[in-house]
């Protein structure tokens, strides 16, 4: 059984991380082109740094933690990938969790096979070398380079390690391969507005069972075999329990 999951901001909403397009959407007050494009960063780097500094600080707030949906996905991955389950099938199972979210809540919940296709908020990248560093502090134009802290010319050469609009998402080949062999595709808490993420469902085979969990209909809803309307913390654990029973997972 090959499982491919795609999550969006809706799975982290109940952990207190604002979605992009909800009433408290992140983009409100910030035009996309000003804070999530290379051009916006070139124009006003400091305001883009502030936008991500605020989100990086908020993500590390004590009240922000994985919720029942994140935890259920981590548990389900363990069950799908357990050696015991593999024995019952002619071939080993596969599991991939692709997330559009740049928060670290899936990894903190215990998910292992996670592909953050739009980057990670708690990582930064050197503009000159593309080297990636773990990062929990603020970034600014005066931030010393971690590898050359005493060199004033190396200051301010770090950017958030996130994929902006117009930039190439991460892992597209791996995602396409997983989509082409997926037996089940789950899309959880994503508005289906941003490509190529929103096109992944169409990369699955006609035989793939496509399930969407969302509060509302999305432009892609009609492509799914099953659309479950409700909150991720309620509907994800219930769906995964149902699938685990259907597949007799441990
Ligand atoms: C690219 C990281 C070239 C940064 C993000 C015209 C038409 C089509 C496409 C384009 C176009 N013009 C330009 C494009 C391409 C563009 C695009 O799609 N634009 C859109 C706006 C039209 N895409 C790009 O530029 C991408 N790159 O195309 O490069 C390329 C491509 C392929 C091959 C070669 C070259 C790069 C896009 C990545 C941008 N970076 N994030 C950051 O986070 O700051 S995008 C960001 O918004 C997220 O990462 C996510 O991907 C995206 C959408 O957000 P969602 O996760 O879906 O969240 P949203 O708030 O929208 O929705 C939440 C959903 O949850 C809702 O449905 C809601 O009902 C539901 N929900 C809420 N609460 C709950 C819930 N569900 C359940 N339970 C709840 N409690």
């Amino acid at each position: 059984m090959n499982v491919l999951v795609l999550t969006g901001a809706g799975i982290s909403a109940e952990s207190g991380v604002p979605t992009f397009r909800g009433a408290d959407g992140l983009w409100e007050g910030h035009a996309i082109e000003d804070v999530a494009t290379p051009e916006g960063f070139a124009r006003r780097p400091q305001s883009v740094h502030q936008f991500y500094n605020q989100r990086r600080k908020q993500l590390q707030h004590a009240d922000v933690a994985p919720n029942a949906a994140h935890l259920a996905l981590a548990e389900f991955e363990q069950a799908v990938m357990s050696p015991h389950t593999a024995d019952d099938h002619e071939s080993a199972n596969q599991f991939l969790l692709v997330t559009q979210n740049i928060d670290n809540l899936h990894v903190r919940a215990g998910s292992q096979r996670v592909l953050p296709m739009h980057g990670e908020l708690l990582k930064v990248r050197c503009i000159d070398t593309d080297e990636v560093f773990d990062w929990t502090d603020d970034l600014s134009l005066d931030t010393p380079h971690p590898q050359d802290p005493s060199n004033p010319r190396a200051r301010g050469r770090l950017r958030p390690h996130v994929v902006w609009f117009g930039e190439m998402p991460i892992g597209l080949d791996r995602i396409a391969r997983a989509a082409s062999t997926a037996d089940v595709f789950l899309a959880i808490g994503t508005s289906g507005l941003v490509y190529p993420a929103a096109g992944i469902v169409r990369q699955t085979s006609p035989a793939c069972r496509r399930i969407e969990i969302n509060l509302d209909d999305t432009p892609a809803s009609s492509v799914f075999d099953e659309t479950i309307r409700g909150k991720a913390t309620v509907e994800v654990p219930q769906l995964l329990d149902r699938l685990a029973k259907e597949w007799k997972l441990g």
Side-chain angles (χ1 to χ4, degrees), residues 9 14 20-21 52 55 100 118 163 166-167 190-191 195 214 232:
E14 293 164 84
F20 294 85
R21 293 166 183 81
Y52 286 96
R55 292 169 71 187
Q100 299 171 85
H118 289 161
V163 177
E167 296 186 324
T190 180
S191 58
Y195 285 81
N214 200 304

Side-chain angles (χ1 to χ4, degrees), residues 7-11 13-14 19-22 27 32 35-36 51-52 55 100-102 118 162-169 172 188-197 213-218 230-233:
T7 61
I11 200 169
E14 293 164 84
T19 64
F20 294 85
R21 293 166 183 81
W27 303 119
I32 284 188
V35 288
F51 176 62
Y52 286 96
R55 292 169 71 187
Q100 299 171 85
N101 302 336
I102 61 174
H118 289 161
V162 300
V163 177
W164 284 326
F165 287 94
E167 296 186 324
M168 177 83 87
L172 293 181
I188 303 168
T190 180
S191 58
L193 295 173
V194 171
Y195 285 81
I213 292 184
N214 200 304
L215 288 179
D216 307 322
D217 283 354
T218 70
K231 291 179 11 177
T233 53

Side-chain angles (χ1 to χ4, degrees), residues 198-225:
I200 295 171
V201 63
R202 290 179 187 81
Q203 293 177 292
T204 62
S205 77
C208 178
R209 184 171 164 194
R210 304 165 174 170
I211 306 173
E212 179 190 59
I213 292 184
N214 200 304
L215 288 179
D216 307 322
D217 283 354
T218 70
S221 292
S222 58
V223 177
F224 286 86
D225 304 297

Side-chain angles (χ1 to χ4, degrees), residues 6 10 24 28 37 62 80 83 110 171 202 212 232 238:
L6 173 68
D24 58 352
E28 282 173 13
T37 61
V80 169
R202 290 179 187 81
E212 179 190 59
Q238 282 183 10

